Amino acid sequence: MAVTLGVRRWAVMMFALSQIALLLMLIAFLTRGDTHRETLVPPTIHTTFWIEDDKVSKEYLIEMGVFLAQLYFDVTPQNVDFNHRTLKSYIDPRFYGKLEIEAGAYAQKIKADNASTFMAIAMVMPDEAKQRIAVQGVLNTYLGDSKTSQVNKTYVFEFGQRGGRVLLTGMREGKNAARPFEEITTECSLAARTPPPGRP
C-alpha cells in the first residue's frame, strides 16, 4: 500500500513538473522579441565596411555596386533567368514591379537572339552621402561567337534601407562619365541594354 502511494506521488510530481516546464516554454515563446534578421551582402567580400542607421560605408557601396552590375550585365541565354532571379532578392519592393517587367522582356530577348553581354568594369565612384555608386566600363555584346558592339557605359545604382536591409532602390544610366551623378537619364531599360547587331 505504501509503495503504491509513493509511486502515485512520484507520478503526480513528475506530471506537475512537466506542466510547469511546458508553461515556462510557452511564456518564453510568446514574450520573445523578433530577433531574426536577414542581411543581404555580396557572396564574396573583399574589404571591411560599416552599416549604421540609414547609411552604409563607401566600401559597402563598392562591393554591392560591382556585384549587382555583374548580375545585371554579365548574362548569357543559359544564366540570364538565374541572374535576374538572384538580382530581384536585392531589390526594394517599390522598385520590384518595374524591374520584373523589364527583366522578363530582356531575358526573352537574350534567349531569342542567342545573345550575351559582359561589362568590363573600369571604375567605380561611390557617393556615400547620397548612398549611390557609379559603375563605369565597357559593355560588350555578342551574338553567338561574334562581338557585335563594344560601348562605354556608366550606370548609377542607388541604395536605401528597408526593414533592416540595404536594398537597391533605383538604377539609372549616366550620360556624363566625368560627372555621373550630375547628369543622369531616366531609369535604365533592361530591354534596351543590348544594341542592335552591328551597331554601337
Side-chain angles (χ1 to χ4, degrees):
M1 189 71 174
V3 174
T4 303
L5 183 59
V7 171
R8 287 180 179 175
R9 287 178 178 174
W10 179 83
V12 170
M13 183 179 297
M14 293 302 296
F15 177 77
L17 289 174
S18 66
Q19 293 302 303
I20 291 172
L22 182 61
L23 180 61
L24 291 175
M25 290 176 61
L26 181 61
I27 292 173
F29 177 77
L30 293 176
T31 58
R32 72 187 180 108
D34 185 8
T35 57
H36 174 71
R37 174 174 293 180
E38 182 178 3
T39 304
L40 295 176
V41 297
T44 302
I45 298 173
H46 300 94
T47 186
T48 59
F49 51 80
W50 54 259
I51 302 175
E52 63 179 24
D53 298 330
D54 60 344
K55 300 286 186 181
V56 297
S57 66
K58 64 180 181 181
E59 290 81 10
Y60 185 96
L61 294 174
I62 292 171
E63 293 277 353
M64 284 297 294
V66 171
F67 171 62
L68 294 179
Q70 290 171 339
L71 277 179
Y72 223 95
F73 295 110
D74 296 358
V75 293
T76 68
Q78 289 72 37
N79 74 0
V80 63
D81 290 330
F82 174 81
N83 275 24
H84 287 164
R85 282 197 304 270
T86 304
L87 176 69
K88 286 183 285 188
S89 65
Y90 292 84
I91 301 297
D92 186 290
R94 291 167 293 185
F95 183 54
Y96 184 91
K98 176 177 174 57
L99 181 72
E100 176 73 16
I101 295 172
E102 294 179 346
Y106 181 67
Q108 291 300 320
K109 179 176 176 60
I110 284 288
K111 290 182 286 187
D113 295 346
N114 193 31
S116 60
T117 60
F118 166 75
M119 188 171 188
I121 298 174
M123 183 184 300
V124 290
M125 301 171 59
D127 180 1
E128 190 174 297
K130 294 188 177 180
Q131 296 291 278
R132 56 188 181 178
I133 184 170
V135 178
Q136 299 178 349
V138 178
L139 183 61
N140 300 279
T141 302
Y142 295 82
L143 292 181
D145 296 330
S146 302
K147 181 186 291 187
T148 59
S149 70
Q150 191 173 26
V151 187
N152 291 317
K153 290 287 187 178
T154 299
Y155 293 96
V156 176
F157 294 86
E158 301 171 344
F159 297 92
Q161 289 205 35
R162 187 177 180 87
R165 298 161 60 195
V166 179
L167 299 172
L168 182 68
T169 58
M171 175 186 170
R172 297 179 173 86
E173 181 177 356
K175 280 295 189 180
N176 188 336
R179 291 188 286 273
F181 301 119
E182 294 183 11
E183 294 185 26
I184 51 180
T185 65
T186 56
E187 286 78 7
C188 170
S189 171
L190 291 177
R193 287 206 316 249
T194 306
R199 294 181 58 187

